[in-house]
Amino acid sequence: MSDDKIDIIHHLADSNVLEFSILSVDVTVPLPHFELFGMDLSITKHVVMMWLATTLMVAIFPLICNRKSLVPTGFRNFFEAILLFLRDDVVRTNIGKEDGDRFLPYLWTLFFFILFCNLLGLIPFGATATGNFSVAVGLALISFVVIHLAGIQKNGLKHYLESIVPPVPKALWPLMLVVEVLGHLIKPAALAIRLFANMSAGHVVLLAFLGFIFTFKNIPVIGISVLAACAVNMLEIFVAFLQAYIFVFLTSVFIGMSVHPQH
Amino acid sequence: MSTKSIGRRVWTIFLVLFLFSGTLLMASGGDGEHAKVGLLDVKSGLVVWTIVAFAVTFLILKKLAWKPLLASLQNREDRIRNSLEEAEQAREQAEKMLKDYEEKLTTAKAEVKDLIAKGRKDAEAAKENLLKEANDECQRIKERSQQELKLTKEKAVKEIFDLAGDLAVSISTKLIQKTLDKKVQDEIIKDGLDKFKSLKSLN
């Protein structure tokens, strides 16, 4: 019984080795460990998955985006539909045409980085890098910095800092400052937690369903579990797109708010 | 907004985040290998890797993918806009031409109508002329025939008168032969006059 125990956390958590099996032979590849300035910069499973995602992006997009033909076909059509949707309905709507187009490269990269990480997590032996809180925090930190630099660059540091607190009676000002500053910190924290939680939750459910098979050990349960796991996997594909979209959408909303503060 | 300044800003972001994660690490006292794995632990090393991976991807894609894509999108939008404008212009031109042709057609129709009317009038006149000529000819022929008839009749009458003269001579001869008998004489004269009368009625 203890042999069949499934450690769900182990599947979600990062590790120092890559594990996969070829023709039911388990292969374990240890990854290098190193530190820099006292920081643990080991290459972990999730780092490898991120590299895989970035490699795919760097392989796919230059190829797609440099086609000379004016008529998009095939794969280019698929990606262009997404890219144009993000440009027209997310970025330009939330930030505005003039300001928004400057953030397009960042937001496009962000969307596909998250999407590719999400989808790679659904491939057997893959791991969801975005389901790791540290990765989500990293992405949220970038968003945080971009959001505020955008506001400072557009409105000037002095004006931007002034616009953090909306016009309220003088007595409320200290309280509002605290609330607004907290708000600015919570926004990226929420981005990180949302992404991480959504990406892990599906995997937890998926593993739980498949875990039933080993817990109950009978045929009907296998059928139900596999069907349910399939359904959850479908849902996961949708969630992969949805979470990438939400992260980018909220980031552009925040950039829009910071670029055009209410007066 | 130049590429250079965007690139510089990205590196600034990267540097700030790097330092920030370093500070996080100091604060958390380092996450050792033997630390218990928790899902909500923030491992500064992974945060840094995330930021590095993202920044590198961003810089590469910005240069190799997004820039050409934005250019080609702009190009396509311009092309579409131009094509639409050109199509609009072509349509307007076509409409103008159609109008011109319709006008020309209308004038041509009117001209044709005039021509037909003129032709008909000419034909009418020619017909009239021909008829008149034919009539005149007819008239002439008729007159000539009448003339000839008249001449023939006059000739015939003259012949009759000659014959009557001859007859009168023969009557008088007979009269002279029979003589004397007054009654017979009267009868003969009367008879001759009747014959003449009957001849006269021939006229």
Side-chain angles (χ1 to χ4, degrees):
Chain A
M1 194 65 193
S2 62
D3 294 344
D4 303 329
K5 200 178 159 203
I6 289 180
D7 183 0
I8 290 178
I9 298 302
H10 171 77
H11 279 263
L12 294 178
D14 208 355
S15 83
N16 290 322
V17 290
L18 288 181
E19 293 163 303
F20 50 92
S21 52
I22 304 166
L23 301 168
S24 52
V25 176
D26 288 340
V27 183
T28 307
V29 181
L31 293 166
H33 166 87
F34 69 93
E35 290 186 16
L36 195 70
F37 307 126
M39 206 188 287
D40 178 15
L41 284 174
S42 307
I43 313 297
T44 63
K45 190 165 68 175
H46 285 156
V47 175
V48 173
M49 292 315 289
M50 273 195 291
W51 286 351
L52 205 57
T54 55
T55 311
L56 277 175
M57 285 167 76
V58 169
I60 290 172
F61 288 109
L63 215 69
I64 284 169
C65 299
N66 282 300
R67 295 217 182 125
K68 284 281 169 277
S69 161
L70 278 173
V71 183
T73 48
F75 246 115
R76 184 179 164 193
N77 227 342
F78 169 73
F79 282 112
E80 237 189 64
I82 299 176
L83 290 162
L84 286 181
F85 168 74
L86 288 175
R87 185 188 71 171
D88 296 335
D89 292 333
V90 176
V91 178
R92 284 187 179 170
T93 323
N94 287 312
I95 311 177
K97 192 172 184 299
E98 299 298 314
D99 298 312
D101 282 7
R102 288 195 296 118
F103 295 98
L104 265 182
Y106 163 63
L107 291 165
W108 275 345
T109 314
L110 182 64
F111 179 84
F112 285 105
F113 185 83
I114 298 174
L115 180 69
F116 278 44
C117 282
N118 291 352
L119 290 175
L120 283 175
L122 295 174
I123 292 172
F125 312 116
T128 319
T130 38
N132 187 314
F133 191 50
S134 307
V135 174
V137 165
L139 294 173
L141 273 178
I142 299 173
S143 283
F144 178 81
V145 174
V146 169
I147 288 164
H148 293 287
L149 280 185
I152 291 166
Q153 195 227 346
K154 171 87 181 174
N155 304 311
L157 183 61
K158 186 170 168 284
H159 194 249
Y160 180 70
L161 290 176
E162 280 168 359
S163 73
I164 286 179
V165 179
V168 287
K170 277 272 183 286
L172 281 175
W173 202 85
L175 177 68
M176 285 310 288
L177 183 67
V178 173
V179 170
E180 292 291 335
V181 168
L182 269 181
H184 280 298
L185 293 175
I186 288 167
K187 275 175 197 165
L191 278 180
I193 292 169
R194 183 184 299 108
L195 180 61
F196 142 77
N198 274 290
M199 292 328 295
S200 349
H203 289 254
V204 172
V205 176
L206 205 61
L207 282 164
F209 274 128
L210 290 178
F212 285 149
I213 298 171
F214 301 98
T215 311
F216 293 103
K217 288 188 173 157
N218 70 38
I219 302 290
V221 170
I222 292 179
I224 294 167
S225 290
V226 169
L227 275 181
C230 277
V232 172
N233 224 334
M234 299 285 179
L235 188 68
E236 278 292 272
I237 295 173
F238 169 66
V239 171
F241 280 87
L242 183 71
Q243 288 308 318
Y245 167 69
I246 287 179
F247 200 106
V248 168
F249 180 84
L250 288 177
T251 302
S252 38
V253 168
F254 297 150
I255 291 174
M257 283 160 68
S258 133
V259 170
H260 312 288
Q262 300 118 328
H263 294 287
Chain B
M1 201 72 228
S2 67
T3 334
K4 212 173 155 192
S5 68
I6 289 177
R8 205 162 57 219
R9 203 168 61 215
V10 171
W11 286 115
T12 318
I13 295 170
F14 172 56
L15 197 66
V16 167
L17 291 176
F18 191 83
L19 295 174
F20 189 51
S21 358
T23 325
L24 266 183
L25 175 82
M26 309 292 179
S28 65
D31 24 32
E33 264 181 286
H34 304 292
K36 199 178 180 307
V37 183
L39 283 182
L40 277 170
D41 287 350
V42 175
K43 287 196 171 187
S44 46
L46 198 49
V47 174
V48 170
W49 272 127
T50 307
I51 292 163
V52 170
F54 186 85
V56 170
T57 319
F58 170 76
L59 289 175
I60 293 174
L61 285 187
K62 186 175 165 46
K63 198 172 167 57
L64 295 181
W66 307 142
K67 237 185 196 154
L69 178 71
L70 282 170
S72 91
L73 286 178
Q74 190 61 45
N75 188 11
R76 189 192 309 162
E77 274 159 26
D78 290 348
R79 189 83 160 257
I80 291 173
R81 193 173 299 120
N82 285 344
S83 302
L84 283 176
E85 273 167 17
E86 272 167 23
E88 184 63 23
Q89 273 174 8
R91 200 181 62 85
E92 271 168 20
Q93 210 169 353
E95 261 176 17
K96 217 180 119 203
M97 275 170 86
L98 186 70
K99 221 170 145 189
D100 278 2
Y101 279 122
E102 269 172 4
E103 261 169 30
K104 269 184 195 164
L105 201 67
T106 322
T107 20
K109 265 186 187 163
E111 268 171 26
V112 167
K113 220 170 166 183
D114 283 357
L115 269 177
I116 290 173
K118 199 167 164 263
R120 192 171 282 155
K121 224 168 100 187
D122 284 357
E124 205 81 13
K127 194 177 105 187
E128 212 75 350
N129 249 6
L130 271 175
L131 265 175
K132 199 165 163 265
E133 262 172 36
N135 271 344
D136 287 358
E137 186 68 25
C138 243
Q139 201 64 31
R140 257 203 313 281
I141 290 169
K142 200 172 142 196
E143 272 166 15
R144 206 167 55 219
S145 334
Q146 273 172 350
Q147 197 75 29
E148 270 170 18
L149 206 68
K150 210 175 156 190
L151 279 175
T152 316
K153 197 176 116 192
E154 270 169 13
K155 213 173 135 191
V157 167
K158 200 178 164 235
E159 269 173 20
I160 287 164
F161 272 107
D162 286 352
L163 200 66
D166 286 352
L167 214 62
V169 170
S170 78
I171 290 165
S172 43
T173 312
K174 270 179 189 171
L175 218 83
I176 293 161
Q177 278 169 353
K178 299 252 173 117
T179 54
L180 306 178
D181 191 356
K182 177 86 170 143
K183 246 181 161 174
V184 174
Q185 203 176 2
D186 285 347
E187 256 173 61
I188 289 167
I189 288 166
K190 200 180 171 248
D191 192 39
L193 280 173
D194 282 348
K195 266 186 187 167
F196 187 70
K197 249 178 207 167
S198 68
L199 269 174
K200 215 175 173 184
S201 70
L202 271 172
N203 196 1

